[in-house]
Amino acid sequence: MIITKVDVNKTIYLISYDSPVFVNRNGGVIMLEYGILGFLKMKPLTGYELKKLFDTSVGYFWWAEQSQIYITLKKMVKDGLVEVVRTEPSRVLDKKIYALTPKGEEMLQEWLSSDIEDSNIKSGPTLKCFFLGEGE
């Protein structure tokens, strides 16, 4: 595995052949994971439905490419934060429906109850405020 570090606007991108992992300088997980966890807290969704939700809601202050969403979902399944609850047959590819796991819900709750950190390119604090209604 080859890993490259690139510092861009206070964000370090660690890129491997397996999948990109984006962390902030404090070593925290990417905001995209929190966004996905927040949407999956509302209900189980496909990757395509997640992309539509990003575009029509938080996309005004936090955007994500479809490929980023699918790569992140794959990593989150591997990390036990989300799970594939069912697969629906489709004309082209089978649709995977993702749901939050207890571990993912715990991570979301920890993030929602933590202090708001400063953000530079995308608005992490605004993304967090969007999902505060999902907290306990």
Side-chain angles (χ1 to χ4, degrees):
M1 177 188 328
I2 296 176
I3 297 179
T4 306
K5 285 186 180 184
V6 181
D7 186 345
V8 179
N9 296 326
K10 296 184 180 178
T11 300
I12 298 172
Y13 296 85
L14 302 175
I15 304 168
S16 75
Y17 283 127
D18 297 333
S19 65
V21 179
F22 306 104
V23 297
N24 63 27
R25 280 189 186 221
N26 298 326
V29 297
I30 58 170
M31 288 294 125
L32 179 55
E33 286 187 356
Y34 290 129
I36 290 171
L37 291 172
F39 283 125
L40 292 180
K41 170 82 167 146
M42 295 175 185
K43 69 178 189 173
L45 298 161
T46 66
Y48 177 75
E49 290 168 330
L50 282 164
K51 172 62 173 155
K52 285 178 24 182
L53 282 171
F54 270 97
D55 289 349
T56 58
S57 59
V58 299
Y60 297 105
F61 52 86
W62 192 272
W63 58 95
E65 297 297 326
Q66 182 104 21
S67 60
Q68 290 176 305
I69 291 170
Y70 283 108
I71 289 168
T72 303
L73 280 169
K74 183 178 178 181
K75 177 190 175 300
M76 293 172 77
V77 167
K78 184 178 176 182
D79 293 344
L81 301 172
V82 302
E83 62 186 348
V84 177
V85 289
R86 69 180 184 273
T87 304
E88 294 179 354
S90 178
R91 284 185 334 139
V92 182
L93 295 172
D94 290 343
K95 294 179 185 179
K96 293 179 181 176
I97 311 233
Y98 297 90
L100 202 58
T101 64
K103 182 178 176 182
E105 188 164 354
E106 181 181 334
M107 185 172 143
L108 178 65
Q109 293 305 321
E110 286 176 12
W111 176 63
L112 290 173
S113 62
S114 68
D115 292 337
I116 293 178
E117 297 176 11
D118 186 28
S119 182
N120 49 17
I121 297 175
K122 297 177 182 179
S123 181
T126 308
L127 180 65
K128 186 174 191 175
C129 289
F130 183 87
F131 290 114
L132 281 176
E134 296 302 315
E136 293 180 4

